[in-house]
Amino acid sequence: MKILLTGGLGFIGSETAIATIEAGHQAVIVDNLYNAKIGVLDRIEKLTGVRPAFYEADVADKKKLGEIFDKERPEAVIHFAGYKAVGESVAKPLMYYRNNLMTTLSLLETMGEYDCHNIVFSSSATVYGTPTHAPLKETDPRGEATNPYGETKIMIERILEDASKADPKLTAVLLRYFNPIGAHPSGLLGEDPRGIPNNLMPYISQVAIGKREYLHVYGSDYPTPDGTGIRDYIHVVDLAEGHVASLKAFNETKGVKIYNLGTGKGTSVLELVKAFEEATGVKIPYRLEDRRPGDVPENYADVEKAKKELGWTARLTIADACRDAYNFQVKNPEGIKD
């Protein structure tokens, strides 16, 4: 199957490109390099022996996207392209709404014009809003998002539901990620943010190599055992394999299908710090600070549906993710070169 990956040079997109190639599919990558680097393409080739077709383009540019579809004729799309930082979305909501919604609308319109009726969407556990219980199931209602980033995910899920009702040929798989961490075990690929990291694991890794003085732990008064927020941290390699597993949904009935991708276990921020220290032997200094706007106390996934219908479960551990993230940071102290 020829698969177009929007945002395919990003943290999750690049791992998924590798997983799709290793599964025997043909990958085509579209990325505007806003939060990714062209050097990732060389590393995908080094790891797989295949250099995917690559187009530097903004998915919101419908004319350019149409040219790519006209040339490549993909059979399916995995849609990663979008801004993703919770804190930044609170500070810059209009930027998030414009980018994340316009890229999706442009993509869906172009797919329809080129007879492509299969899409996997990179959604998020933020669509559940502020959880009243855990674990979270796919049958739980979407809540009120606590930040604009989450609100764009809710809106896009609704757009895909409406589009599938209007187009009976369309299959839309909504993958609700929990918290991706880790890196490729080779150390060639990993989370490589520009500037100060917005996510926890790359910040911990940068503290570990002395690039940052200490870790900011936002919130120590949550109603959790140690007062810090609890999340379901999933290794990015497992997450990528979940995307490949989800492709089988295209062969089933049409319409919208929803799957949680997580481990089914919650880990607090301080537990993750301890696991990192145990896995790497590096002490991580940290400071407890006030909560951040938009954060929730606890969430983790019920993953039985993905196990039953897709035959997928997370197989890597928190310790694996910590070792792999640290290995990537040590080998790439200044990140991947452009």
Side-chain angles (χ1 to χ4, degrees):
M1 182 183 295
K2 182 181 279 192
I3 302 169
L4 187 143
L5 298 92
T6 71
L9 293 187
F11 174 45
I12 303 170
S14 60
E15 288 290 349
T16 304
I18 289 171
T20 56
I21 292 167
E22 290 178 342
H25 301 291
Q26 186 176 352
V28 177
I29 295 173
V30 179
D31 201 303
N32 67 357
L33 304 180
Y34 173 81
N35 195 33
K37 297 176 181 177
I38 191 62
V40 170
L41 192 62
D42 295 331
R43 298 186 179 206
I44 292 172
E45 182 180 15
K46 185 173 182 178
L47 288 166
T48 65
V50 175
R51 190 173 186 85
F54 171 70
Y55 298 88
E56 183 177 348
D58 190 326
V59 180
D61 183 344
K62 197 175 171 209
K63 181 176 182 296
K64 180 64 176 178
L65 193 61
E67 293 171 359
I68 296 168
F69 267 76
D70 189 55
K71 181 177 180 180
E72 296 292 345
R73 301 287 171 163
E75 300 164 77
V77 173
I78 304 180
H79 182 32
F80 298 103
Y83 298 154
K84 62 177 185 175
V86 168
E88 184 181 55
S89 79
V90 174
K92 302 176 180 179
L94 300 184
M95 183 177 82
Y96 270 68
Y97 286 121
R98 176 179 294 277
N99 181 76
N100 292 6
L101 297 181
M102 290 305 295
T103 54
T104 303
L105 293 171
S106 171
L107 178 62
L108 287 171
E109 288 170 350
T110 305
M111 286 174 61
E113 291 167 9
Y114 286 90
D115 202 31
C116 180
H117 303 289
N118 299 308
I119 183 170
V120 175
F121 172 56
S122 171
S123 192
S124 167
T126 60
V127 303
Y128 293 112
T130 302
T132 58
H133 63 276
L136 293 163
K137 295 184 178 183
E138 293 88 347
T139 52
D140 288 329
R142 280 185 292 247
E144 182 176 343
T146 59
N147 53 74
Y149 160 75
E151 195 62 49
T152 66
K153 295 296 186 183
I154 290 173
M155 289 179 176
I156 293 169
E157 285 198 359
R158 288 174 174 157
I159 289 168
L160 287 165
E161 287 172 345
D162 288 341
S164 71
K165 291 174 185 175
D167 179 5
K169 296 180 182 179
L170 182 65
T171 299
V173 180
L174 315 181
L175 298 183
R176 292 175 176 171
Y177 307 166
F178 280 67
N179 289 69
I181 59 173
H184 194 277
S186 67
L188 287 174
L189 290 176
E191 192 164 7
D192 184 24
R194 296 185 185 273
I196 299 172
N198 287 302
N199 292 333
L200 179 59
M201 183 60 84
Y203 207 108
I204 291 174
S205 297
Q206 290 189 11
V207 171
I209 66 166
K211 191 171 183 178
R212 308 284 168 192
E213 185 179 358
Y214 59 86
L215 173 69
H216 302 265
V217 177
Y218 296 106
S220 59
D221 59 348
Y222 287 112
T224 62
D226 62 18
T228 63
I230 289 175
R231 299 290 184 271
D232 188 336
Y233 295 101
I234 177 173
H235 198 298
V236 67
V237 171
D238 279 332
L239 188 62
E241 291 174 355
H243 287 76
V244 174
S246 75
L247 299 177
K248 70 170 58 176
F250 296 153
N251 299 322
E252 307 297 334
T253 56
K254 301 296 180 181
V256 172
K257 294 141 186 211
I258 303 172
Y259 299 98
N260 288 336
L261 294 185
T263 66
K265 299 177 182 178
T267 302
S268 76
V269 174
L270 292 184
E271 286 173 336
L272 186 63
V273 169
K274 182 179 178 182
F276 188 95
E277 292 175 338
E278 291 176 348
T280 66
V282 180
K283 187 71 176 175
I284 303 298
Y286 63 85
R287 292 184 184 176
L288 301 176
E289 302 183 8
D290 292 339
R291 300 182 186 187
R292 289 184 304 187
D295 281 343
V296 300
E298 176 182 33
N299 68 12
Y300 59 95
D302 183 304
V303 293
E304 287 304 308
K305 185 179 180 184
K307 180 179 180 180
K308 180 180 179 182
E309 296 187 12
L310 303 179
W312 173 89
T313 56
R315 57 184 178 81
L316 298 170
T317 66
I318 292 288
D320 293 327
C322 291
R323 280 192 298 269
D324 291 340
Y326 181 60
N327 180 43
F328 171 77
Q329 191 68 65
V330 169
K331 290 182 176 179
N332 304 272
E334 300 304 321
I336 296 171
K337 293 182 180 180
D338 285 313

